[in-house]
mmCIF file of all heavy atoms in Angstrom:
data_model
loop_
_atom_site.group_PDB
_atom_site.id
_atom_site.type_symbol
_atom_site.label_atom_id
_atom_site.label_comp_id
_atom_site.label_asym_id
_atom_site.label_seq_id
_atom_site.Cartn_x
_atom_site.Cartn_y
_atom_site.Cartn_z
ATOM 1 N N VAL A 163 89.635 11.146 32.824
ATOM 2 C CA VAL A 163 89.047 12.409 33.251
ATOM 3 C C VAL A 163 89.061 13.366 32.058
ATOM 4 O O VAL A 163 90.105 13.598 31.458
ATOM 5 C CB VAL A 163 89.855 13.022 34.421
ATOM 6 C CG1 VAL A 163 89.280 14.373 34.823
ATOM 7 C CG2 VAL A 163 89.884 12.077 35.601
ATOM 8 N N ASP A 164 87.878 13.891 31.715
ATOM 9 C CA ASP A 164 87.739 14.890 30.662
ATOM 10 C C ASP A 164 87.188 16.168 31.276
ATOM 11 O O ASP A 164 86.453 16.129 32.259
ATOM 12 C CB ASP A 164 86.785 14.411 29.565
ATOM 13 C CG ASP A 164 87.271 13.159 28.859
ATOM 14 O OD1 ASP A 164 88.484 12.875 28.904
ATOM 15 O OD2 ASP A 164 86.444 12.466 28.248
ATOM 16 N N LEU A 165 87.537 17.303 30.676
ATOM 17 C CA LEU A 165 87.059 18.596 31.160
ATOM 18 C C LEU A 165 86.667 19.450 29.964
ATOM 19 O O LEU A 165 87.444 19.594 29.025
ATOM 20 C CB LEU A 165 88.157 19.303 31.973
ATOM 21 C CG LEU A 165 87.865 20.725 32.450
ATOM 22 C CD1 LEU A 165 86.725 20.735 33.467
ATOM 23 C CD2 LEU A 165 89.122 21.349 33.039
ATOM 24 N N ASP A 166 85.442 19.984 29.991
ATOM 25 C CA ASP A 166 84.962 20.884 28.951
ATOM 26 C C ASP A 166 84.669 22.248 29.571
ATOM 27 O O ASP A 166 83.953 22.338 30.567
ATOM 28 C CB ASP A 166 83.670 20.359 28.308
ATOM 29 C CG ASP A 166 83.896 19.134 27.445
ATOM 30 O OD1 ASP A 166 84.976 19.018 26.852
ATOM 31 O OD2 ASP A 166 82.980 18.298 27.358
ATOM 32 N N LEU A 167 85.209 23.299 28.957
ATOM 33 C CA LEU A 167 84.947 24.672 29.372
ATOM 34 C C LEU A 167 84.244 25.366 28.213
ATOM 35 O O LEU A 167 84.755 25.353 27.081
ATOM 36 C CB LEU A 167 86.250 25.397 29.708
ATOM 37 C CG LEU A 167 87.119 24.755 30.784
ATOM 38 C CD1 LEU A 167 88.457 25.476 30.874
ATOM 39 C CD2 LEU A 167 86.407 24.781 32.119
ATOM 40 N N THR A 168 83.077 25.979 28.481
ATOM 41 C CA THR A 168 82.294 26.613 27.429
ATOM 42 C C THR A 168 81.963 28.039 27.812
ATOM 43 O O THR A 168 81.588 28.313 28.956
ATOM 44 C CB THR A 168 80.993 25.822 27.164
ATOM 45 O OG1 THR A 168 81.336 24.487 26.787
ATOM 46 C CG2 THR A 168 80.177 26.451 26.062
ATOM 47 N N TYR A 169 82.097 28.930 26.835
ATOM 48 C CA TYR A 169 81.749 30.338 27.005
ATOM 49 C C TYR A 169 80.720 30.687 25.932
ATOM 50 O O TYR A 169 80.917 30.374 24.758
ATOM 51 C CB TYR A 169 82.996 31.218 26.847
ATOM 52 C CG TYR A 169 82.701 32.687 26.869
ATOM 53 C CD1 TYR A 169 82.454 33.347 28.061
ATOM 54 C CD2 TYR A 169 82.653 33.423 25.698
ATOM 55 C CE1 TYR A 169 82.176 34.705 28.093
ATOM 56 C CE2 TYR A 169 82.384 34.781 25.709
ATOM 57 C CZ TYR A 169 82.136 35.416 26.912
ATOM 58 O OH TYR A 169 81.861 36.748 26.945
ATOM 59 N N GLU A 170 79.619 31.324 26.348
ATOM 60 C CA GLU A 170 78.566 31.706 25.405
ATOM 61 C C GLU A 170 78.278 33.196 25.558
ATOM 62 O O GLU A 170 78.255 33.716 26.672
ATOM 63 C CB GLU A 170 77.285 30.913 25.665
ATOM 64 C CG GLU A 170 77.450 29.425 25.463
ATOM 65 C CD GLU A 170 76.185 28.644 25.782
ATOM 66 O OE1 GLU A 170 75.324 29.151 26.528
ATOM 67 O OE2 GLU A 170 76.078 27.525 25.274
ATOM 68 N N GLU A 171 78.060 33.852 24.415
ATOM 69 C CA GLU A 171 77.752 35.279 24.436
ATOM 70 C C GLU A 171 76.885 35.635 23.233
ATOM 71 O O GLU A 171 77.091 35.126 22.138
ATOM 72 C CB GLU A 171 79.039 36.103 24.386
ATOM 73 C CG GLU A 171 78.788 37.594 24.432
ATOM 74 C CD GLU A 171 80.076 38.386 24.457
ATOM 75 O OE1 GLU A 171 80.920 38.104 25.320
ATOM 76 O OE2 GLU A 171 80.220 39.274 23.606
ATOM 77 N N ARG A 172 75.918 36.520 23.483
ATOM 78 C CA ARG A 172 75.101 37.053 22.381
ATOM 79 C C ARG A 172 75.820 38.252 21.801
ATOM 80 O O ARG A 172 76.293 39.115 22.535
ATOM 81 C CB ARG A 172 73.724 37.459 22.864
ATOM 82 C CG ARG A 172 72.825 36.310 23.201
ATOM 83 C CD ARG A 172 71.400 36.815 23.427
ATOM 84 N NE ARG A 172 70.512 35.710 23.536
ATOM 85 C CZ ARG A 172 69.768 35.253 22.528
ATOM 86 N NH1 ARG A 172 69.820 35.824 21.356
ATOM 87 N NH2 ARG A 172 68.965 34.223 22.708
ATOM 88 N N SER A 173 75.903 38.298 20.485
ATOM 89 C CA SER A 173 76.514 39.441 19.808
ATOM 90 C C SER A 173 75.564 39.920 18.718
ATOM 91 O O SER A 173 74.602 39.219 18.387
ATOM 92 C CB SER A 173 77.867 39.041 19.206
ATOM 93 O OG SER A 173 77.673 38.207 18.085
ATOM 94 N N PRO A 174 75.811 41.086 18.138
ATOM 95 C CA PRO A 174 74.934 41.568 17.056
ATOM 96 C C PRO A 174 74.904 40.616 15.855
ATOM 97 O O PRO A 174 73.932 40.573 15.113
ATOM 98 C CB PRO A 174 75.552 42.916 16.667
ATOM 99 C CG PRO A 174 76.317 43.344 17.867
ATOM 100 C CD PRO A 174 76.788 42.092 18.526
ATOM 101 N N LEU A 175 75.947 39.825 15.676
ATOM 102 C CA LEU A 175 76.001 38.883 14.555
ATOM 103 C C LEU A 175 75.282 37.568 14.845
ATOM 104 O O LEU A 175 74.950 36.829 13.932
ATOM 105 C CB LEU A 175 77.454 38.591 14.183
ATOM 106 C CG LEU A 175 78.272 39.770 13.677
ATOM 107 C CD1 LEU A 175 79.722 39.361 13.477
ATOM 108 C CD2 LEU A 175 77.673 40.303 12.387
ATOM 109 N N GLY A 176 75.103 37.239 16.104
ATOM 110 C CA GLY A 176 74.458 35.976 16.486
ATOM 111 C C GLY A 176 74.986 35.483 17.816
ATOM 112 O O GLY A 176 75.633 36.214 18.568
ATOM 113 N N ASP A 177 74.709 34.215 18.105
ATOM 114 C CA ASP A 177 75.159 33.596 19.359
ATOM 115 C C ASP A 177 76.542 32.979 19.166
ATOM 116 O O ASP A 177 76.722 32.079 18.342
ATOM 117 C CB ASP A 177 74.173 32.525 19.810
ATOM 118 C CG ASP A 177 72.806 33.097 20.151
ATOM 119 O OD1 ASP A 177 72.749 34.274 20.544
ATOM 120 O OD2 ASP A 177 71.805 32.369 20.007
ATOM 121 N N LEU A 178 77.500 33.452 19.946
ATOM 122 C CA LEU A 178 78.880 32.972 19.880
ATOM 123 C C LEU A 178 79.091 31.931 20.984
ATOM 124 O O LEU A 178 78.735 32.164 22.134
ATOM 125 C CB LEU A 178 79.851 34.136 20.071
ATOM 126 C CG LEU A 178 81.324 33.766 20.161
ATOM 127 C CD1 LEU A 178 81.829 33.322 18.801
ATOM 128 C CD2 LEU A 178 82.124 34.951 20.682
ATOM 129 N N THR A 179 79.665 30.796 20.617
ATOM 130 C CA THR A 179 80.006 29.761 21.587
ATOM 131 C C THR A 179 81.456 29.353 21.369
ATOM 132 O O THR A 179 81.857 29.050 20.244
ATOM 133 C CB THR A 179 79.103 28.525 21.436
ATOM 134 O OG1 THR A 179 77.737 28.923 21.561
ATOM 135 C CG2 THR A 179 79.406 27.481 22.492
ATOM 136 N N ALA A 180 82.236 29.351 22.437
ATOM 137 C CA ALA A 180 83.628 28.901 22.389
ATOM 138 C C ALA A 180 83.794 27.789 23.417
ATOM 139 O O ALA A 180 83.396 27.932 24.571
ATOM 140 C CB ALA A 180 84.578 30.044 22.685
ATOM 141 N N THR A 181 84.360 26.669 22.987
ATOM 142 C CA THR A 181 84.539 25.516 23.872
ATOM 143 C C THR A 181 85.985 25.061 23.827
ATOM 144 O O THR A 181 86.595 24.988 22.761
ATOM 145 C CB THR A 181 83.627 24.352 23.449
ATOM 146 O OG1 THR A 181 82.275 24.799 23.462
ATOM 147 C CG2 THR A 181 83.767 23.164 24.387
ATOM 148 N N LEU A 182 86.531 24.760 24.997
ATOM 149 C CA LEU A 182 87.867 24.197 25.118
ATOM 150 C C LEU A 182 87.718 22.869 25.856
ATOM 151 O O LEU A 182 87.221 22.830 26.979
ATOM 152 C CB LEU A 182 88.775 25.158 25.889
ATOM 153 C CG LEU A 182 90.254 24.856 25.920
ATOM 154 C CD1 LEU A 182 90.832 24.821 24.503
ATOM 155 C CD2 LEU A 182 90.987 25.901 26.755
ATOM 156 N N SER A 183 88.116 21.781 25.199
ATOM 157 C CA SER A 183 87.964 20.437 25.772
ATOM 158 C C SER A 183 89.327 19.829 26.057
ATOM 159 O O SER A 183 90.219 19.861 25.198
ATOM 160 C CB SER A 183 87.201 19.529 24.811
ATOM 161 O OG SER A 183 85.910 20.021 24.584
ATOM 162 N N PHE A 184 89.468 19.287 27.242
ATOM 163 C CA PHE A 184 90.676 18.560 27.648
ATOM 164 C C PHE A 184 90.286 17.097 27.776
ATOM 165 O O PHE A 184 89.506 16.733 28.652
ATOM 166 C CB PHE A 184 91.214 19.091 28.978
ATOM 167 C CG PHE A 184 91.599 20.541 28.926
ATOM 168 C CD1 PHE A 184 90.667 21.524 29.229
ATOM 169 C CD2 PHE A 184 92.875 20.914 28.555
ATOM 170 C CE1 PHE A 184 91.011 22.863 29.179
ATOM 171 C CE2 PHE A 184 93.230 22.259 28.497
ATOM 172 C CZ PHE A 184 92.289 23.236 28.804
ATOM 173 N N ILE A 185 90.814 16.260 26.906
ATOM 174 C CA ILE A 185 90.462 14.834 26.858
ATOM 175 C C ILE A 185 91.600 14.025 27.473
ATOM 176 O O ILE A 185 92.768 14.255 27.155
ATOM 177 C CB ILE A 185 90.202 14.398 25.408
ATOM 178 C CG1 ILE A 185 89.069 15.255 24.821
ATOM 179 C CG2 ILE A 185 89.874 12.920 25.320
ATOM 180 C CD1 ILE A 185 88.940 15.168 23.332
ATOM 181 N N ASN A 186 91.255 13.082 28.342
ATOM 182 C CA ASN A 186 92.226 12.255 29.061
ATOM 183 C C ASN A 186 93.213 13.153 29.803
ATOM 184 O O ASN A 186 94.424 13.076 29.629
ATOM 185 C CB ASN A 186 92.949 11.288 28.111
ATOM 186 C CG ASN A 186 93.677 10.185 28.851
ATOM 187 O OD1 ASN A 186 93.634 10.088 30.070
ATOM 188 N ND2 ASN A 186 94.366 9.349 28.101
ATOM 189 N N LEU A 187 92.668 13.987 30.642
ATOM 190 C CA LEU A 187 93.409 15.010 31.375
ATOM 191 C C LEU A 187 94.614 14.458 32.140
ATOM 192 O O LEU A 187 95.647 15.111 32.246
ATOM 193 C CB LEU A 187 92.455 15.728 32.333
ATOM 194 C CG LEU A 187 92.914 17.022 32.966
ATOM 195 C CD1 LEU A 187 93.197 18.071 31.908
ATOM 196 C CD2 LEU A 187 91.869 17.532 33.938
ATOM 197 N N LEU A 188 94.520 13.253 32.657
ATOM 198 C CA LEU A 188 95.609 12.659 33.439
ATOM 199 C C LEU A 188 96.541 11.806 32.586
ATOM 200 O O LEU A 188 97.436 11.142 33.107
ATOM 201 C CB LEU A 188 95.035 11.832 34.592
ATOM 202 C CG LEU A 188 94.113 12.610 35.537
ATOM 203 C CD1 LEU A 188 93.521 11.689 36.585
ATOM 204 C CD2 LEU A 188 94.835 13.777 36.179
ATOM 205 N N ASP A 189 96.340 11.807 31.261
ATOM 206 C CA ASP A 189 97.164 11.077 30.302
ATOM 207 C C ASP A 189 97.282 9.595 30.653
ATOM 208 O O ASP A 189 98.364 9.009 30.649
ATOM 209 C CB ASP A 189 98.546 11.727 30.183
ATOM 210 C CG ASP A 189 99.244 11.358 28.886
ATOM 211 O OD1 ASP A 189 98.555 10.956 27.921
ATOM 212 O OD2 ASP A 189 100.480 11.469 28.827
ATOM 213 N N LYS A 190 96.149 8.970 30.940
ATOM 214 C CA LYS A 190 96.083 7.558 31.311
ATOM 215 C C LYS A 190 96.279 6.673 30.081
ATOM 216 O O LYS A 190 95.688 6.918 29.033
ATOM 217 C CB LYS A 190 94.709 7.284 31.939
ATOM 218 C CG LYS A 190 94.403 5.862 32.251
ATOM 219 C CD LYS A 190 95.029 5.450 33.529
ATOM 220 C CE LYS A 190 94.540 4.047 33.888
ATOM 221 N NZ LYS A 190 95.309 3.485 34.951
ATOM 222 N N ASP A 191 97.127 5.648 30.170
ATOM 223 C CA ASP A 191 97.266 4.649 29.106
ATOM 224 C C ASP A 191 96.170 3.604 29.293
ATOM 225 O O ASP A 191 95.984 3.072 30.394
ATOM 226 C CB ASP A 191 98.625 3.955 29.185
ATOM 227 C CG ASP A 191 99.777 4.882 28.829
ATOM 228 O OD1 ASP A 191 99.557 5.816 28.028
ATOM 229 O OD2 ASP A 191 100.883 4.674 29.341
ATOM 230 N N TYR A 192 95.431 3.324 28.223
ATOM 231 C CA TYR A 192 94.355 2.345 28.324
ATOM 232 C C TYR A 192 94.048 1.743 26.961
ATOM 233 O O TYR A 192 94.421 2.293 25.928
ATOM 234 C CB TYR A 192 93.088 2.972 28.926
ATOM 235 C CG TYR A 192 92.480 4.074 28.086
ATOM 236 C CD1 TYR A 192 91.404 3.804 27.242
ATOM 237 C CD2 TYR A 192 92.959 5.372 28.143
ATOM 238 C CE1 TYR A 192 90.838 4.811 26.478
ATOM 239 C CE2 TYR A 192 92.402 6.373 27.381
ATOM 240 C CZ TYR A 192 91.340 6.094 26.548
ATOM 241 O OH TYR A 192 90.786 7.079 25.787
#
Side-chain angles (χ1 to χ4, degrees):
V163 177
D164 298 339
L165 175 66
D166 289 328
L167 303 172
T168 301
Y169 174 78
E170 297 178 338
E171 181 177 307
R172 288 190 171 262
S173 72
L175 297 175
D177 296 332
L178 174 71
T179 303
T181 302
L182 190 59
S183 298
F184 299 90
I185 302 166
N186 195 2
L187 194 61
L188 303 176
D189 201 21
K190 174 81 173 168
D191 291 331
Y192 63 98

